[in-house]
């Protein structure tokens, strides 16, 4: 592992508890908004997009096509990580994060305004794919920047605690996205005609309000002392952050991608796929599935908090490896449990899946920033995280529905268990980082 630069160790400018808390809250709000936009797409992909944008394909093929557009964002994320990582490492974390928030907000608003395939034909799904790519592109730059803000501001020994705050964003966002769809359905009446005609658009249009709040919060915070110290020492430096990150720490990038692959697979399973599986395969009502998702997100958030705090005590690797062991067992048990058809079993399945995701997700907000040198930290952390998204978040959406259709849910469980084995050994190969200086 490459050691941190002398410049980053020289970042001794004091930060008050108030300033650290402000950054933590701003990062949490920012990731909440970004992932709200990301999650409402996943919910819509499960509930309405097969009918609205792929009506000619039929139920199964339409669902596959819908989740293929969901997967497009995960392919876009490494590209976004490289571009936004470059600027985040060159001009600063704060300015780059403002750009990612604007891109995500505009893309989400345009999805809410996009006419259906019945109105403009094949252009509708094509434009949908482009806008979904833009969403993934934005999230590719968002996560690393938000976690770097908190990790670089955090006092020694508490990086797990403070880097937890942007990690809570997805849990809060899942509550907001499911809640928005639930309220929309309750107000309009849970009829397919009204919901499919325009009701599903309300959560997408509402996101522009949240973007305004997020911009206000992000513009109010300052650049991190660690970045300012590093930036002051490299006037005239023309090296590319991506080239440096790959040259010096390609091993850490690839290992972190493998280590977090299961995290992304469980993220996808616990949000988009189980929403679709519960409504279409198991026949539960849309309000029931959304309400279970909201309750499961609370469990998810609690798991993030506990695992992040424990990672400051026992290390990031141990916590993530424990989540991989739990993921292996749970993956094999999940679909036999779900296929009992019991509402209680579905709720337990959703709770368990998101809880395991939360245990893995809590420590990685500190782990990845700690692994990379300051001059290419944004790029290196973003690449590792988003390559994991391709492996664990892009591939399962493409093959889960066909696997379930051909072999039953147990085949999806076997796929998830194999990913858990990969993640365990990749995590084991990483070096513990909790005591390293930044």
């Amino acid at each position: 592992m490459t050691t941190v630069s002398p410049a980053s160790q020289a970042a001794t400018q004091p930060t008050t508890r108030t300033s650290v808390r402000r950054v933590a809250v701003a990062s949490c709000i920012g990731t909440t908004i970004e992932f709200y936009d990301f999650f409402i797409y996943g919910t819509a992909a499960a509930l309405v997009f097969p009918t609205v944008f792929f009506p000619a394909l039929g139920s199964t093929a339409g669902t596959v096509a819908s989740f293929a557009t969901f997967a497009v964002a995960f392919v876009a994320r490494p590209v976004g990580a490289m571009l936004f990582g470059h600027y985040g490492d060159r001009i600063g974390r704060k300015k780059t994060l403002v750009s990612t928030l604007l891109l995500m907000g505009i893309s989400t608003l345009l999805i809410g305004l996009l006419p259906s395939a019945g109105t403009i034909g094949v252009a509708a799904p094509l434009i949908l794919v482009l806008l979904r790519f833009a969403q993934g592109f934005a999230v590719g730059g968002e996560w690393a920047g938000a976690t770097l803000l908190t990790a670089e501001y955090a006092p020694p020994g508490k990086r797990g605690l403070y880097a937890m705050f942007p990690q809570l964003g997805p849990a809060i966002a899942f509550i907001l996205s499911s809640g928005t769809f639930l309220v929309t359905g309750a107000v309009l009446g849970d009829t397919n005609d009204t919901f499919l005609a325009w009701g599903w658009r309300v959560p997408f249009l509402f996101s522009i309000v949240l973007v305004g709040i997020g911009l206000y919060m992000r513009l109010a915070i300052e650049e991190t002392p660690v970045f300012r110290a590093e930036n002051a020492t490299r006037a005239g430096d023309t090296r590319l952050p991506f080239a440096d990150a790959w040259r010096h720490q390609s091993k850490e990038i690839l290992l972190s991608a493998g280590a977090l692959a299961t995290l992304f697979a469980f993220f996808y399973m616990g949000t988009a796929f189980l929403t679709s599986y519960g409504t279409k395969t198991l026949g539960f009502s849309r309000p029931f599935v959304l309400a279970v998702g909201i309750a499961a997100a609370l469990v998810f958030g609690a798991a993030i908090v506990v695992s992040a705090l424990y990672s400051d005590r026992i290390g990031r690797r141990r916590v993530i490896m424990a989540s991989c062991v739990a993921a292996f067992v749970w993956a094999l048990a999940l679909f036999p449990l779900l296929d009992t058809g019991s509402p209680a079993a579905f709720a337990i399945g959703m709770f368990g899946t998101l809880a395991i995701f939360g245990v893995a997700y809590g420590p990685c907000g500190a782990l990845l920033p700690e692994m990379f040198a300051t001059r290419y930290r944004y790029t290196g952390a973003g690449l590792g995280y988003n390559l994991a998204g391709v492996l664990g978040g892009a591939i399962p959406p493409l093959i889960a529905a066909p696997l379930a259709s051909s072999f039953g849910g147990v085949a999806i469980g076997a796929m998830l268990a194999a990913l858990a084995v990969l993640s365990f050994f990749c995590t084991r190969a990483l070096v513990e980082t909790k005591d390293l200086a930044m």
Side-chain angles (χ1 to χ4, degrees):
M1 173 180 293
T2 300
T3 57
V4 296
S5 67
S8 64
Q9 292 179 0
T12 57
Q13 295 165 281
T15 57
T16 65
R17 288 177 62 85
T18 301
S19 67
V20 176
R21 288 174 179 174
R22 186 185 302 119
V23 169
V25 171
S27 294
C28 182
I29 291 174
T31 54
T32 296
I33 294 165
E34 294 263 11
F35 278 92
Y36 168 83
D37 291 353
F38 205 73
F39 278 143
I40 57 175
Y41 189 100
T43 303
L47 298 178
V48 299
F49 283 178
T51 303
V52 173
F53 293 110
F54 305 99
L57 297 180
S59 178
T60 300
T63 299
V64 172
S66 182
F67 281 130
T69 67
F70 183 81
V72 163
F74 288 98
V75 177
R77 287 169 72 153
V79 184
M82 285 187 285
L83 179 67
F84 288 115
H86 172 84
Y87 288 106
D89 284 324
R90 300 296 296 182
I91 67 174
R93 294 34 168 142
K94 173 185 170 177
K95 292 178 182 178
T96 304
L97 285 171
V98 170
S99 300
T100 64
L101 187 61
L102 282 172
L103 178 58
M104 174 62 88
I106 293 170
S107 302
T108 303
L109 177 66
L110 291 177
I111 290 174
L113 297 173
L114 181 62
S116 68
T119 302
I120 61 173
V122 71
L126 292 177
I127 296 171
L128 180 68
V129 169
L130 289 176
L131 292 173
R132 181 58 175 171
F133 187 92
Q135 280 192 320
F137 194 69
V139 171
E142 164 66 24
W143 181 87
T147 54
L148 260 60
L149 273 180
T150 51
E152 290 183 347
Y153 262 103
K158 293 187 177 181
R159 283 196 295 265
L161 167 64
Y162 283 102
M164 167 194 78
F165 284 90
Q167 302 300 83
L168 285 173
I172 301 170
F174 192 48
I175 292 171
L176 288 176
S177 63
S178 296
T180 306
F181 275 102
L182 189 61
V183 170
T184 301
V187 171
L188 299 178
D190 193 33
T191 60
N192 281 334
D193 289 343
T194 306
F195 192 75
L196 291 175
W198 61 271
W200 67 269
R201 300 180 185 274
V202 173
F204 288 85
L205 301 178
F206 176 68
S207 71
I208 201 67
V209 177
L210 299 178
V211 169
I213 297 171
L215 281 175
Y216 173 79
M217 293 297 298
R218 288 201 164 161
L219 291 171
I221 61 176
E222 297 181 353
E223 188 55 76
T224 71
V226 172
F227 176 81
R228 293 200 303 267
E230 174 71 22
N231 200 44
T233 67
R234 63 180 183 188
D237 185 354
T238 59
R239 291 177 297 177
L240 296 176
F242 171 76
D244 274 358
W246 190 255
R247 181 182 305 114
H248 297 297
Q249 293 191 257
S250 57
K251 175 183 175 182
E252 284 80 5
I253 291 172
L254 294 176
L255 284 176
S256 60
L260 302 183
T262 299
L263 178 156
F264 276 97
F266 271 61
F267 156 84
Y268 159 68
M269 293 303 302
T271 55
F273 186 80
L274 287 186
T275 299
S276 175
Y277 198 79
T279 54
K280 295 181 179 179
T281 302
L282 301 178
F284 297 128
S285 69
R286 183 189 300 128
F288 169 76
V289 171
L290 291 173
V292 169
I294 291 172
L298 295 174
V299 176
F300 169 32
I304 290 172
V305 172
V306 172
S307 64
L309 294 176
Y310 264 91
S311 77
D312 276 336
R313 296 176 58 186
I314 67 173
R316 325 298 183 205
R317 290 170 64 251
R318 290 184 180 179
V319 175
I320 295 175
M321 284 192 293
S323 77
C324 294
V325 173
F328 179 84
V329 176
W330 187 251
L332 298 177
L334 177 60
F335 282 91
L337 175 67
L338 293 175
D339 290 341
T340 63
S342 162
F346 178 78
I348 293 170
M350 183 81 87
F351 289 0
T353 302
L354 286 181
I356 292 171
F357 170 34
V359 171
Y361 199 58
C364 71
L367 171 68
L368 266 68
E370 290 168 343
M371 287 171 58
F372 297 97
T374 305
R375 71 179 184 276
Y376 52 75
R377 181 173 290 144
Y378 201 130
T379 302
L383 275 174
Y385 182 80
N386 290 294
L387 286 174
V390 174
L391 182 58
I395 297 174
L398 295 177
I399 65 177
L403 280 176
S405 177
S406 301
F407 305 105
V410 67
I412 302 176
M415 173 190 69
L416 294 174
L419 279 175
V421 172
L422 171 68
S423 292
F424 178 88
F425 285 105
C426 286
T427 305
R428 187 178 179 183
L430 292 172
V431 175
E432 181 54 61
T433 60
K434 77 179 182 71
D435 296 320
L436 294 179
M438 290 187 72

